[in-house]
Structure formats: structure tokens, C-alpha cells
Amino acid sequence: MISVDKELCSGCGVCPDVCSYGAISLVGDTAQVDLDKCTLCGTCAENCPADAITIEREETGSAAELDQWRGVWVFAEFRNGEYAPVVFELLGKGRELADALGEELCAVAIGSGSRDQAEVLGNAGADRVLVADSPELEGFSEDVWARILSRLASEQKPEVILAGATSMGRAFLPQVATMLETGLTADCTQLEIRAEDRALLQTRPAFGGNLLATIVCPNHRPQMATVRPNVFRAPSMDFEDSGNSGRQIEIDEIELSPEDLKSGVRVVERKVEDLQGPDLANSQVIVTAGRGIGSEDNLKALEQLANCLEGAVGATRAITDAGWISHHHQIGQTGATVAPKLYLGFGVSGAIQHLVGMQGSEIIVAVNKDPDAPIFDVATYGIVGDVHEILQLLLQRICKGAGQTGG
Amino acid sequence: MNIIVCIKQVPDAASVKWDREKGTLIRDGVKSVINPFDYNAIEAALQVRDELGGTVTAVTMGPPQAEEAIREAISLGVDQGVVVSDRAFAGADTLATTYTLSKAIEKLGGADLVFCGKQAIDGDTAQVGPGLSVRLGIPCVTCIGDMEVLEGGKGLRVKRMNEFGYDLVEVEFPALFTTIASLNTPRVPSLKGKMRAKKAKIPVWTAEDIGADPDRIGLKGSPTQVASTYIPTFEARKEMLEGSPEEQVEALVERLKGAGIL
Ligand SMILES: Cc1cc2nc3c(=O)[nH]c(=O)nc-3n(C[C@H](O)[C@H](O)[C@H](O)COP(=O)(O)OP(=O)(O)OC[C@H]3O[C@@H](n4cnc5c(N)ncnc54)[C@H](O)[C@@H]3O)c2cc1C
Ligand SMILES: Nc1ncnc2c1ncn2[C@@H]1O[C@H](COP(=O)(O)O)[C@@H](O)[C@H]1O
């Protein structure tokens, strides 16, 4: 239940402003909550300068029961004959979490052919790999994957399960969480262990990226989270560098019964399309078009620049909504998350929904005519100027320069 | 054929803006709208009904005002709707939400086919559809970009969209599907539909009405809790490049060379 302490409430008016559900108003000098509208999201309590708002919940779950759950699991998505890049990013983060907990890191692979390549998961930091491999696990079916992962989790009791927020992860992880009757936090951007109680602190954007919320799952296990590709960096896969050379890993193959493999979802055809244009996720350089480029025609110059830098073209939602370029190119909250070595933004204002998708880039260059554009707050190098002028100069300078050095 | 479509009323993104400097929301009165992806779910449900017959029922869990969403769905051609509303539902995370929705669907006599939107734009979780399918004990296919009814009306053949393209999959009823924007073009309300929506009686079911276990709903039934919220800050690392455009570009090229990129 939510309650407002009338003594503490100063009537400052912050809470009605922060409530996105319009559930709080000031009556006289105190805040009043309309319980029909309140979703108990907690934003008001968090923002109240007087700590006058409290949300109380009853505690459930016994500490002893929770204590039986140990170790960190990473779902090792295996698709089209290889492990998805996000698996290695998660193993890197999973290693940190497992070390903080003093527990083992285990990768769980499901899919036909996943056994043959299981060793690479050890190189990326896993202590142990659980593999479910069978020719029948060729096409992905949500129910089979969910049944296998939830069965393993209820038998072996990991305290944390991480998975990529890919089309596959998003499709079946919610089923696993429901089967295990536990919480699942989608699209986390930060994960951390709180030392005093071993809680997994799961931070994700809320309210369209305007706010970050840290979510916990105190009374249920496992604590489950999905993470989008490119949010965390993969550890070095070089044996020598990673300190993983000669590491012994354990590979446990899981026996599967016909019951395990029964599915209501029949994959009759798999189509891998040649997505046009270079792949945003794997490019080291991304040249991004914002509304400030003015017109669709001006994309050509950006493409030219991207080409000579061997990079890809990205876009803000303003550009994809206008139909100037396909949605595959969109970066941000509702598009891709990218973390290239170099991000160049032309005529991008730097709306928060865009920033959350590119803030992990190593070097951020922004060109905008408005010196107060928020993109400059995150830019490594900012240029206040006209997009077209700067772009032309850069093309002359860089494309020529690249030619001279043979790069 | 019992077809259920789950819809959610969400704050209209366009009416809520965040003032980063003050750290508060700027509101132009919070308007509520039907979650955009749910229009595609409604359209899909209507198409299957028009082909195979049956009834489409729209279900929403939310505050009493969510009745507006149900009326709008009826104006689009949905046969009937129900609002599942109780203060005890407040604070539900996706686990409590799927429990509540499944109890309501049970009371409706179960479902042969359920459509949900891919995700709700307020929470952005995309978890309710797949979670609900487990509660109902039926298969689920997410993010469908195309669909056709299987021979004999036994199920659906759908394109399940993914990062690489799509999988063509066949599923027999009963089943649940989540819809994306490219699946269809939602119809607009007809005059007759608007009249029907105006007159429709929309039942409101409480936790008791659907026989929900009080421990499994709302805040109490939600394993996840918000520990804190904050406004994102970004590492300040700006260096503004000064001078004429030529000088700015020169300075940039130098720095990129220094970083080993050029
Ligand atoms: C729920 C939600 C999700 C969203 N998801 C995303 C997302 O995933 N990705 C995304 O990008 N957006 C997203 N948005 C939209 C986002 O809020 C912004 O509207 C969008 O990013 C703005 O794009 P822009 O920077 O290209 O355009 P604008 O904001 O219009 O900025 C254009 C900029 O160009 C500059 N400019 C104009 N002319 C010139 C010139 N000649 N030379 C130099 N500079 C010039 C202007 O000063 C301005 O700063 C989302 C919004 C919501 C509500
Ligand atoms: N409270 C609710 N009432 C009815 N349907 C819902 C509710 N919450 C979510 N849904 C459905 O589940 C989909 C995904 O929502 P979410 O998992 O919250 O992103 C939505 O598009 C709706 O179809």
C-alpha cells in the first residue's frame, strides 16, 4: 500500500509532476493519491524530498530457501551454426558477477551442433557448460527451449540467469520465468551484485528512457535478466590475454527424453535474408544521420563517408520515421544498441532515447549547428557548424587521406 | 472459436515529456491511448474471426478508466470486452499480470486463440504474451510479421520475425501470438461500430470475481521491485573544436589519427 505522511509532506508539488499516471494531486498542502490510477511504481516515493511517501509490501520467501540457489548462468544462444555474439558479452559480465558472489559461472547451450563448439564458452570465462544437443533441436521452438532451461534451473538452482534480449531470448525467457514463478527484468543496461545481501541490481530504462530504474528480485530465485546485444563488452578471446589458457572446463551433456522435445510449434522453413547494407552491430565506425541533414538526398554524402571509413550508416528515429532509410538502421531505445570505436552524428540533437543506444561508443563526434544540442554533452569531440559544409570538408580530407595511406 | 485479444491502456508518449534539467515530467495532462502494437493484435483477431467465425473478446487489466480502451476496441469490430480492475492489482509486474489475465480468460471460458501486442510502450518488456501462454498451457509465437489460416482452420501459419529474416512456423489452436506493426494495417472504426461501442455494457471484474489468489496479484504477487530510480547522466567528456570549419575538420582529423582510427 502507498501512504503519504501528512506531517512530513510539505506540499512542495514534486510528486504530482513526476507521476506519469496523473495519480497524485495536491489537496490543500498535502499530496493525495488517487488509488484508482496509482500503479505503485514508486517514482513519487523516490523523488519526494521529504521522504513523506512510503510504499509498503509484505515480505515473503524464506532466507534458507533462497540460500540454496547458487551460481550464475548465461544462456548460450546457438543459432545458424554459431553462438550469438551477445553470449560472449554476457559471459564477460557473468564472470564479474560470479566472482563477486564467489560462485561458478555456467553457460547453458541448447541447439543442434552446440556441443561441438562448447569449448569457446570456456575461453570466454565459463567454468562449466551444460549442453542440450540433439538433431531435433535444429529449428527453434519456444516451448522446448523453455521446458529444457526451466527444468535444468529447477534441478540445479542457479541464483542468477542472464540471456540476450534477442528475438530468441525475448521469446522464451518470459516463459521460463513464469514456469519458475520468478521475476525477469528486460533489457538491462547495468548489472551489479549488492554485497550485503547478494542481490542482483538490475538497471533498465523506464518511461521511454527518460528514467533509469534499478530492479531487484528479493524473495524469489533465480534472479533473471535479459540484456540487449552491444550493451556489455565481450572479454578478450585470446587465450593468453584472457588468462584463460589451459583452463579446465567441465562439459555436461544433458539427456533429452522425447517428452522434452515435444513441441506445439513446427518450423517449416527458415529464411536468412541478406539484410541490405552493412551490419550496424558489427561495424567499428557508424556515421549517423539525424534530421539536421535536411533531406533524403543528403544521405548519399553520409554513405560515401561511411564507405571510405569502412563503416555503416545509422539513423535517428526522425529519419527512419520519415522513411528516408529502413528501420534496420535506427539506433536507440526502439532501435539497435551500438558501441563502435567511432560514432559520427550529423544533425542529431541527442534525444535521450537516441543516447541510450550509442553512449557506449568509444569516440563520439557530433556535428550540429545548435551549440546547446544535448548530443554535445556526450560527445568526445563537438563541432558547432553546418552539416553540409563539415561533411564536404571531411569527405575531401578523409577520403583523400585514406587513399594516400592505402587504408 | 473463442478469440481473446489482450490490450493495455498506456500513457500517450507524446503527452509526456521529460525535463532533464529539472528532472521532472512536463505534462500536458496525461492522455491514455491503446498501446500501439495492440491495434495490430485487434486487427489480427478480427481477421481470423471474419475467416473462421467465432467471437472476439478484448480483455484489459487496468484502472476503471481502461473501459475507454475496451469501447474503442468494440468500435473497431471486437464483439465484447471486459475490464479487470481492482485496487489490489496495482503494482503488478509481468508475473502478476499474466496470472491475473489468465484467471480472467478462464472465467471467459478459456481461449482457442489469443493475440497480444509485441510489447507495451510504457514498460517495454514484451513479457506478458509469452508468460500468459505458459499460464494458459498453450504454445506461443512472438513477433509475427505475417499470418494465414492453416488448411481446415486448424491453426495459423505465421512468419516469426528475427534478426536474420524469419522462420515460417505452423501452430495449431489453441495458441497465443504476439503482433508487430508490419503484420497488418489496423482498420478504422465504422459508424456502426461507434454506435455499438457507445451502447455496449462493459463488465468490470474484481479480483474476487475472477477467483484470484490474493497472494498472486498486484504488488504482493510481483517478485520484482523497483529499488530506486534516477535520471540518466552521461560522462561529460566534451571537447569543442574551435575555429573556421576548415580548422575544425583539421583538428578532428588529427584527433582521429591520434586515436588510430585514420
Ligand atoms: C518511446 C520513444 C522511443 C524512441 N526511440 C528512439 C530511438 O530508438 N532512436 C531515436 O533516434 N529516437 C527515438 N525516439 C525519438 C527521439 O525522442 C527523438 O525525437 C529523435 O531521436 C530525434 O532525432 P533527430 O536528432 O534526428 O532530430 P531532431 O531532434 O529534430 O534534431 C535535429 C538536429 O539537427 C540540427 N540541425 C538542423 N539543421 C542543421 C544543419 N544544417 N547543420 C547542423 N545541424 C543541423 C538541429 O540543431 C537539431 O539539433 C523515441 C521517442 C520515444 C518517445
Ligand atoms: N494490463 C494488461 N492488460 C491486458 N493486456 C496486457 C496488459 N499488460 C500487457 N498486456 C498485453 O501484453 C502485451 C505486451 O506487454 P508487455 O509485456 O507489458 O510489454 C501488450 O501489448 C498487451 O497485449
Side-chain angles (χ1 to χ4, degrees), chain A residues 75-83 108-118 130-141 144-145 148 168 253-254 256 261 270:
Chain A
F75 169 65
E77 172 170 344
F78 189 77
R79 209 155 195 186
N80 300 333
E82 58 185 19
Y83 287 105
V108 185
I110 302 173
S112 172
S114 58
R115 168 67 188 89
D116 291 347
Q117 298 173 43
L130 274 167
V131 284
D133 189 343
S134 151
E136 290 190 59
L137 295 173
E138 181 65 41
F140 167 60
S141 28
V144 174
W145 263 244
I148 294 175
M168 187 195 269
E253 289 182 59
I254 298 152
L256 298 166
L261 298 167
R270 290 160 68 201

Side-chain angles (χ1 to χ4, degrees), chain B residues 1-5 41-42 44-50 54-58 77-81:
Chain B
M1 183 101 179
N2 240 344
I3 307 170
I4 305 273
V5 47
I42 293 172
L46 296 176
Q47 285 179 8
V48 176
R49 179 199 63 189
D50 292 347
T55 320
V56 177
T57 308
V78 163
D79 298 290
Q80 56 182 27

